[in-house]
């Protein structure tokens, strides 16, 4: 029997969209505990100061972010 495998072992913060490991209970970027497993698209921000995309989306810390979180 086939089993659906989740695409990534991450959860996304509903407040700032930071991606955290599934076992995490708190977002390391903003401290929120409101984490969602239902998210889409990932963007890696290496240097927020130099990234126009990161600035536009309001990402201030280096790390992985989800583009959409439900
Ligand atoms: Zn957060």
């Amino acid at each position: 029997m086939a089993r659906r495998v989740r695409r990534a072992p991450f959860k996304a913060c509903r407040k700032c969209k930071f991606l955290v490991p599934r076992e995490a209970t708190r977002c390391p970027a903003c401290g929120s505990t409101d984490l969602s497993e239902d998210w889409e698209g990932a963007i890696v921000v290496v240097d927020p100061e130099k990234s126009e995309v990161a600035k536009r989306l309001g990402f201030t810390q280096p790390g992985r972010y989800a583009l959409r979180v439900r």
Side-chain angles (χ1 to χ4, degrees):
M1 206 187 285
R3 201 165 143 248
R4 231 182 120 194
V5 179
R6 292 193 75 93
R7 62 184 173 253
F10 292 105
K11 294 191 288 193
C13 173
R14 283 201 177 92
K15 247 184 170 173
C16 71
K17 297 184 177 177
F18 199 83
L19 289 177
V20 300
R22 286 188 79 185
E23 62 270 22
T25 53
R26 177 181 288 264
C27 170
C30 73
S32 170
T33 54
D34 192 5
L35 307 173
S36 169
E37 290 195 35
D38 196 4
W39 56 271
E40 267 176 22
I43 179 172
V44 177
V45 175
V46 179
D47 191 344
E49 293 289 304
K50 289 177 184 161
S51 169
E52 288 304 319
V53 178
K55 274 185 203 159
R56 190 151 43 87
L57 297 173
F59 301 156
T60 56
Q61 308 232 10
R64 295 185 196 82
Y65 292 85
L67 291 176
R68 192 178 304 168
V69 185
R70 289 188 196 89

